[in-house]
Amino acid sequence: MKKYISYILLVLFATNITYSQIGGYAGAFGRLGFGSRGIGMGNSMTAITSGEISSYYNPALTPFAEQRTASISLGFMPFDRYINFLSYTQNIKPTAGLSFGIINAGVRNIDSRDYDGYHIEDLSTSENQFYLAFGNRIHPNVSLGITIKLFYYSLYDKVSSTTVGFDLGTLIKATENITIALAFQDLGSNYKWNTAPIYGQSGGQTTDKFPNMRRLAVAYKLPDRLGTIAVEFENTSVKTNHIRLGSEIVLHEYFTIRSGIDRWDVNNNTLGIKPTFGFSINKPFDDWTPIITYAYVLEPFSIGGVHLVSLSIIF
C-alpha cells in the first residue's frame, strides 16, 4: 500500500514559500540566512567585516576575521519546520581566510495516510548544505573569495538528490568605515529527482534549478565603535529584486541590539516584508569570548514568527 508522496510535496512547497516570487524555487532553505546575528540584521551582512564573520553571505569576508570563531545556532519555526546552523571561521596569515559550515533544515510530523485515509506513520524531510569558503586579499583593501557548496536533500523514502554549487564574492574597503561588496550565489546548483524507485515505470526524472543571486551591498561602521548599518540590493535569475536593511548598535561593551528588514520586494512594495530583531550578550574570559545571540523574524503570512538562538566562541 503506497503512501501519498503528494503530502510531502505539499508541505515542501509550503516550507519553501518565503513570501516573494523566489520562494517557490529549489534551495529556499539556503536563502533564509545564516545564524542569529545575520538573520537579526535582516541578512544584510554581505559587506560587514567586523564581529562574527559569516562567509555564507560573502566568501570574500573570511580574510577579515580577526580571531577564530565557532558557532552553533538552532531555529524554531511554525508548521513543524526547523533550521540549524554550524560554522567555523578563521584567518590564515598573512592575507587569507577559511570558513566551513553546515545548514540543516526540514519538516517533521508529516501525516502519512493510505488510500483509505488511515494514518500510517509520521514522515519528515531533511535538506542540508555543506560549504567550504576561502578568501584572500589581493590588496590591503580588496579581497576575493569562493565557496564550494554540497547540497543533499532527503525528500521521501528512496527519493533524494545531491548537487554542487558555487558562490563568488569580492569586497572593497572604500574608507576606514565604509565597505562595498558584490556577491554571486548558487551558481550551477540544481536538484535532479527520480521517482522510479517508488512508481517504477510510471516514475520520471525532473530537474529543479536554483535561482542565481547577485547582491550589491554597502556597510558603514558608526564612529567610536557604536555599531554598524548596512543596505543591500539583490537581483536574481528569476527576475526578483529585493532590498535589505540592517543595523547593529552597541549599547554596552557586553550588550548589542540589532534590527533589520529582509526581502523588501521592489516590484511589490511591502509585500512579504520580514522585520527582524535581535540582541547579543558577550563576556570575555582571558583569550576567549562566549557570545549568546537571539533573533526573531516576523513572518508576514504565518501563525507565528521564527526564533533563533546561537552560541558562539571567539578564541
Side-chain angles (χ1 to χ4, degrees):
M1 193 176 294
K2 295 181 180 179
K3 305 167 186 175
Y4 284 128
I5 195 171
S6 58
Y7 282 95
I8 302 287
L9 298 177
L10 178 62
V11 176
L12 172 65
F13 177 77
T15 304
N16 280 346
I17 294 177
T18 54
Y19 316 118
S20 67
Q21 295 177 4
I22 197 173
Y25 290 88
F29 85 108
R31 296 188 289 272
L32 293 176
F34 195 97
S36 299
R37 185 193 183 202
I39 293 177
M41 287 190 67
N43 287 315
S44 57
M45 298 284 291
T46 306
I48 293 180
T49 59
S50 59
E52 301 173 64
I53 298 297
S54 178
S55 63
Y56 164 91
Y57 297 96
N58 184 356
L61 295 173
T62 54
F64 295 92
E66 296 179 354
Q67 294 176 286
R68 294 170 293 179
T69 302
S71 178
I72 183 171
S73 304
L74 302 178
F76 307 92
M77 310 172 72
F79 304 116
D80 293 316
R81 299 171 297 163
Y82 65 89
I83 187 165
N84 305 309
F85 309 95
L86 180 67
S87 67
Y88 175 82
T89 303
Q90 72 165 65
N91 61 21
I92 302 176
K93 295 181 179 181
T95 60
L98 177 73
S99 179
F100 56 86
I102 301 171
I103 304 176
N104 165 246
V107 185
R108 303 184 181 97
N109 302 321
I110 301 173
D111 187 12
S112 172
R113 297 176 178 267
D114 61 26
Y115 288 118
D116 296 321
Y118 291 102
H119 175 79
I120 302 174
E121 61 178 322
D122 289 332
L123 304 177
S124 63
T125 68
S126 177
E127 197 165 3
N128 306 275
Q129 178 191 131
F130 307 88
Y131 70 85
L132 174 64
F134 176 81
N136 188 38
R137 295 196 198 194
I138 59 175
H139 181 275
N141 296 322
V142 180
S143 67
L144 300 175
I146 183 172
T147 301
I148 302 174
K149 302 192 292 189
L150 173 67
F151 294 87
Y152 173 72
Y153 198 163
S154 175
L155 177 61
Y156 174 80
D157 198 10
K158 299 177 182 179
V159 179
S160 64
S161 183
T162 303
T163 188
V164 175
F166 301 89
D167 294 348
L168 300 174
T170 185
L171 184 137
I172 301 173
K173 293 190 69 173
T175 69
E176 187 63 29
N177 295 327
I178 298 176
T179 52
I180 302 170
L182 183 64
F184 302 86
Q185 285 192 309
D186 289 334
L187 304 177
S189 300
N190 61 77
Y191 284 140
K192 294 183 179 180
W193 303 105
N194 181 9
T195 57
I198 295 178
Y199 294 118
Q201 294 182 352
S202 298
Q205 297 184 0
T206 58
T207 299
D208 293 329
K209 294 183 178 180
F210 287 32
N212 302 143
M213 296 179 289
R214 288 83 64 166
R215 290 199 308 276
L216 177 64
V218 178
Y220 174 68
K221 293 182 182 179
L222 299 175
D224 301 321
R225 298 185 176 183
L226 293 178
T228 305
I229 57 176
V231 60
E232 298 186 7
F233 174 76
E234 177 189 88
N235 169 262
T236 72
S237 59
V238 292
K239 300 181 179 179
T240 62
N241 298 288
H242 295 117
I243 292 176
R244 295 188 176 93
L245 305 171
S247 63
E248 186 176 67
I249 305 298
V250 180
L251 296 182
H252 185 274
E253 60 177 326
Y254 300 151
F255 184 73
T256 301
I257 62 172
R258 56 185 59 89
S259 63
I261 295 176
D262 191 9
R263 295 204 178 278
W264 180 352
D265 194 327
V266 175
N267 301 321
N268 292 288
N269 297 319
T270 58
L271 178 66
I273 197 170
K274 296 167 62 175
T276 64
F277 310 92
F279 64 85
S280 294
I281 301 172
N282 71 88
K283 182 63 173 74
F285 295 95
D286 296 327
D287 295 331
W288 63 286
T289 302
I291 304 173
I292 296 176
T293 305
Y294 169 79
Y296 176 79
V297 182
L298 181 62
E299 293 190 304
F301 307 118
S302 175
I303 59 174
V306 178
H307 301 269
L308 296 109
V309 179
S310 301
L311 173 62
S312 302
I313 305 293
I314 298 178
F315 57 102

